[in-house]
């Protein structure tokens, strides 16, 4: 068979799979079901939407129940906990498969890019049918076809790719908002981080492909897009005709129907003045920046290979706040990086006090084999790390509550996102700064932006009231 491009080839395999699935439907007298379980970050969630899109095209009915004909785990390996969770759940899946031997179990995502993981799966989890990695998720239909035809386990891991496959199906979780990949991979090699090894080198999609996707989303009722990349600030550098992230944002801003633009993640070392200027002028870019600091200690930042000092970071925050006074800042912080001293940790507490983050994700350092930090000698004792982590959490939470309080009794535009899970007759929405508000409302409002009076700040969220 000759195909003009990869997407066409994959569509051929989707059709082949569909015939096999239809035959099974006849045999069973029911639809076949598929359950995709996603672990980890926004990138993985976006990848899963593509996987679900392919499975739907093949004819599987989507379910959240793992007692399904096909179960696919899209895995994460950024911290050890993420890995342990997968092994635990595989034990549970094997029990389901014992009762339904025709069940297909697949694993994909970041964990599969580690050779020692795949070795372990091959030795101790022999009931797995399909293994593929981050670079070839677009091959799902082809690999599944191979599995269905051969009856044997299929494994396909690529070490890297420069290819970006456009135009494959995708099923969105929300009708009104969507993540949009603008780039893949990471070139930064922060010394603790496994992402560059499992997601490969940085490569950007062309602005034309990105804008075409967003225009189609807008035509489909999407009002908010989240531009996704490991380091969006270095977007476009590898393109034949280089484009900056700030230039891309300006073009996204012009798309009718898009009312909110978010993006993540921003590396502080690459955040340009142009980007700040574009954000300050924009009516659509949300007043929120996720700007991972990782540590407040210049010495530790150097060991982390972050390419900025505590002072550089604080100066950047100052510049952002003077250009965009109401901007919300959030961050990621790692506690217990090798060789972290009490003095280093005090610098982290100090930077948190100075920046006053709206919220922060705090992580205990997790040793990832293959990264430079894993070979550093002085790993910090567990009880010291726990104690520091608790101190940091207390501080982050106190500041976060204080910041939330600042918008109490103000009127804010809110994008209504879902019916409230706990309180009947309530909906939940998001402010431009990413905070959540719960207020009495109807599900018909979902996907629209309404004005909400924030009656009461409740710690990290608000209780509000819609104002006409
Ligand atoms: N240990 C702990 N946290 C980590 N992160 C990345 N690698 C590690 C690790 N080895 C955190 C960083 C990053 C976030 C996505 O995960 O803070 O910003
Ligand atoms: Fe990991 Fe650093 Fe790349 Fe973020 S920028 S994905 S922390 S290596």
């Amino acid at each position: 068979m000759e195909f003009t491009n990869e997407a066409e080839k994959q569509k051929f395999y989707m059709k082949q799979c569909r015939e096999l699935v239809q035959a099974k439907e006849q045999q069973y007298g029911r639809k076949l079901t598929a359950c995709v379980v996603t672990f980890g970050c926004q990138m993985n969630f976006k990848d899963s939407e593509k996987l679900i899109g392919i499975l739907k095209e093949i004819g599987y009915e989507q379910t959240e129940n793992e007692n399904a004909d096909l179960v696919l785990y899209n895995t994460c390996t950024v911290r050890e906990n993420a890995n342990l969770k997968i092994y635990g759940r595989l034990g549970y899946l094997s029990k389901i498969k014992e009762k339904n031997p025709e069940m297909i179990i697949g694993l994909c995502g970041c964990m599969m890019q580690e050779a020692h993981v795949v070795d372990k799966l091959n030795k101790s989890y022999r009931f797995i049918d399909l293994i593929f990695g981050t670079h070839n998720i677009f091959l799902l239909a082809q690999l599944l076809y191979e599995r269905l035809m051969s009856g044997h386990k299929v494994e396909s891991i690529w070490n890297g790719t420069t290819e970006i496959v456009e135009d494959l199906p995708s099923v969105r979780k929300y009708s009104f908002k969507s993540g949009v990949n603008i780039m893949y991979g990471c070139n930064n090699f922060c010394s603790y981080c496994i992402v560059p090894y499992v997601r490969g080198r940085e490569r950007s999609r062309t602005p034309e492909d990105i804008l075409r996707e967003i225009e189609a989303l807008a035509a489909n009722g999407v009002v908010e897009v989240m531009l996704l990349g490991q380091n969006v600030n270095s977007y476009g550098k590898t393109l034949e005709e280089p484009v900056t992230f700030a230039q891309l944002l300006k073009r996204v801003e012009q798309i009718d129907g898009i009312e909110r633009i978010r993006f993540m993640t921003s590396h502080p070392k690459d955040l340009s003045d142009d980007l700040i200027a574009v954000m300050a002028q924009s009516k659509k870019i949300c007043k929120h920046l996720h700007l991972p600091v990782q540590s407040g200690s210049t010495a530790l930042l150097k060991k982390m290979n972050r390419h900025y000092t505590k002072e550089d970071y604080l100066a950047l925050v100052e510049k952002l706040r003077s250009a965009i006074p109401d901007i919300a800042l959030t961050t990621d912080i790692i506690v217990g990086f090798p060789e972290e001293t009490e003095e280093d940790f005090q610098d982290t507490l100090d930077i948190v006090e100075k920046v006053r983050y709206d919220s922060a994700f705090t992580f205990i350092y997790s040793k990832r084999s293959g990264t430079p930090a894993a070979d550093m000698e002085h790993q910090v004792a567990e009880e010291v790390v726990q104690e520091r982590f608790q101190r940091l959490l207390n501080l982050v939470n106190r500041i976060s509550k204080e910041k939330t309080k600042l918008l109490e009794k103000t009127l804010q535009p809110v994008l209504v996102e879902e019916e409230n899970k706990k309180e009947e007759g309530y909906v939940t929405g998001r402010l431009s700064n990413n905070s959540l508000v719960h207020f009495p409302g109807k599900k018909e409002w979902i996907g629209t932006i309404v004005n909400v009076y924030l009656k009461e700040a409740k710690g990290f969220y608000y209780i509000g009231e819609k104002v006409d």
Side-chain angles (χ1 to χ4, degrees):
M1 276 269 184
E2 287 283 328
F3 300 100
T4 51
N5 62 35
E6 186 61 39
E8 200 181 290
K9 181 172 167 198
Q10 292 309 315
K11 282 176 189 157
F12 166 80
Y13 281 112
M14 285 175 221
K15 196 159 156 279
Q16 298 295 102
C17 285
R18 189 154 61 227
E19 282 168 19
L20 298 175
V21 164
Q22 276 167 354
K24 285 271 177 225
E25 281 174 10
Q26 293 272 323
Q27 188 190 333
Y28 296 167
R30 61 166 177 85
K31 285 287 230 181
L32 263 56
T33 55
C35 173
V36 177
V37 187
T38 313
F39 301 84
C41 67
Q42 304 260 7
M43 290 280 184
N44 263 16
F45 277 87
K46 182 68 199 179
D47 282 349
S48 287
E49 292 189 349
K50 297 177 187 170
L51 295 166
I52 293 168
I54 295 171
L55 291 171
K56 186 171 171 226
E57 194 64 32
I58 290 173
Y60 284 98
E61 216 159 65
Q62 199 191 329
T63 169
E64 311 257 298
N65 186 340
E66 286 171 54
N67 195 346
D69 297 297
L70 185 151
V71 175
L72 187 56
Y73 280 179
N74 189 3
T75 63
C76 169
T77 187
V78 76
R79 285 170 289 274
E80 180 72 22
N81 280 351
N83 283 34
L84 297 176
K85 218 185 307 179
I86 301 286
Y87 291 124
R89 289 192 51 163
L90 280 175
Y92 160 74
L93 269 194
S94 74
K95 297 276 179 318
I96 303 182
K97 186 159 179 168
E98 271 168 26
K99 292 194 200 109
N100 176 13
E102 290 209 35
M103 174 184 188
I104 292 198
I105 298 180
L107 288 178
C108 62
C110 295
M111 227 174 125
M112 300 308 117
Q113 294 296 140
E114 294 180 278
H116 69 93
V117 170
V118 176
D119 280 350
K120 178 166 170 168
L121 294 173
N122 284 337
K123 281 199 195 94
S124 313
Y125 297 81
R126 301 173 66 96
F127 54 87
I128 295 167
D129 300 281
L130 205 54
I131 293 183
F132 54 103
T134 56
H135 301 295
N136 57 350
I137 67 158
F138 61 87
L139 283 181
L140 171 61
Q142 186 178 340
L143 301 174
L144 181 61
Y145 181 70
E146 213 179 307
R147 166 64 188 80
L148 292 172
M149 291 301 282
S150 71
H152 298 137
K153 173 181 201 161
V154 172
E155 185 184 308
S156 175
I157 312 283
W158 292 5
N159 285 330
T161 183
T162 50
E163 192 165 16
I164 296 178
V165 180
E166 300 286 348
D167 297 325
L168 283 176
S170 176
V171 169
R172 267 180 286 124
K173 182 155 183 226
Y174 298 97
S175 59
F176 57 91
K177 68 171 182 177
S178 179
V180 175
N181 295 114
I182 63 165
M183 61 199 299
Y184 300 93
C186 181
N187 285 354
N188 291 306
F189 292 95
C190 300
S191 62
Y192 49 81
C193 187
I194 199 154
V195 168
Y197 306 89
V198 296
R199 288 241 168 216
R201 293 295 61 72
E202 207 170 275
R203 51 217 185 271
S204 296
R205 286 176 77 196
T206 65
E208 291 71 31
D209 281 332
I210 296 168
L211 295 166
R212 199 161 47 94
E213 178 177 347
I214 300 176
E215 278 159 7
L217 289 169
N220 253 301
V222 166
V223 294
E224 177 179 305
V225 286
M226 162 82 91
L227 309 181
L228 296 171
Q230 301 296 349
N231 176 11
V232 292
N233 296 331
S234 71
Y235 168 77
K237 286 184 184 160
T238 54
L239 289 171
E240 263 173 44
E241 293 171 46
V243 179
T244 67
F245 183 50
Q247 288 165 338
L248 177 72
L249 276 174
K250 271 194 184 161
R251 293 176 67 179
V252 176
E253 172 109 18
Q254 282 160 12
I255 298 177
D256 284 338
I258 297 299
E259 298 184 52
R260 282 186 169 182
I261 304 167
R262 299 184 185 277
F263 53 84
M264 75 188 314
T265 292
S266 272
H267 195 306
K269 79 176 165 66
D270 297 314
L271 199 142
S272 69
D273 290 352
D274 282 351
L275 175 62
I276 299 176
V278 169
M279 286 183 84
Q281 284 157 17
S282 169
K283 301 245 173 333
K284 296 184 177 177
I285 301 174
C286 288
K287 303 285 179 243
H288 170 219
L289 190 66
H290 186 64
L291 194 64
V293 66
Q294 312 298 2
S295 165
S297 154
T298 295
L300 222 58
L301 286 167
K302 193 162 173 45
K303 292 176 191 171
M304 288 177 162
N305 196 30
R306 292 288 291 176
H307 297 280
Y308 53 87
T309 64
K310 180 185 186 187
E311 290 69 32
D312 293 337
Y313 188 94
L314 285 170
L316 181 59
V317 167
E318 179 84 33
K319 202 152 59 167
L320 278 161
R321 289 230 165 101
S322 60
I324 315 160
D326 53 346
I327 193 167
L329 292 176
T330 58
T331 202
D332 294 341
I333 303 170
I334 297 176
V335 179
F337 183 82
E339 299 175 9
E340 182 187 72
T341 62
E342 177 60 25
E343 201 187 336
D344 290 322
F345 180 65
Q346 287 298 332
D347 269 328
T348 296
L349 294 178
D350 185 55
I351 208 166
V352 170
E353 285 274 14
K354 289 205 165 93
V355 176
R356 295 182 57 75
Y357 292 106
D358 292 75
S359 73
F361 295 103
T362 50
F363 303 107
I364 286 182
Y365 168 73
S366 172
K367 187 171 170 170
R368 307 315 290 128
S369 59
T371 63
D375 296 329
M376 286 172 68
E377 270 182 18
H378 298 284
Q379 306 278 331
V380 185
E382 202 180 316
E383 52 292 2
V384 176
V385 179
Q386 284 297 342
E387 189 270 334
R388 284 182 192 160
F389 184 76
Q390 202 50 52
R391 271 193 283 163
L392 176 65
L393 203 58
N394 293 344
L395 177 64
V396 159
N397 287 346
R398 193 199 82 215
I399 294 171
S400 187
K401 281 185 194 163
E402 289 167 8
K403 298 275 310 209
T404 309
K405 196 88 183 156
L406 292 179
L407 288 186
E408 196 179 56
K409 305 205 166 26
T410 65
L411 192 62
Q412 299 290 337
V414 166
L415 174 60
V416 187
E417 299 207 332
E418 56 192 6
E419 284 181 280
N420 193 284
K421 290 182 193 86
K422 292 193 189 130
E423 188 94 33
E424 196 158 329
Y426 272 62
V427 290
T428 297
R430 216 174 269 276
L431 274 54
S432 171
N433 77 6
N434 214 33
S435 301
L436 288 176
V437 51
H438 309 297
F439 57 102
K442 304 184 198 126
K443 70 167 188 283
E444 289 73 36
W445 299 349
I446 291 174
T448 63
I449 294 180
V450 297
N451 285 322
V452 176
Y453 179 70
L454 306 179
K455 282 202 309 197
E456 199 186 346
K458 289 259 189 192
F460 309 112
Y461 63 91
Y462 302 93
I463 298 295
E465 198 169 59
K466 179 173 175 279
V467 174
D468 291 317

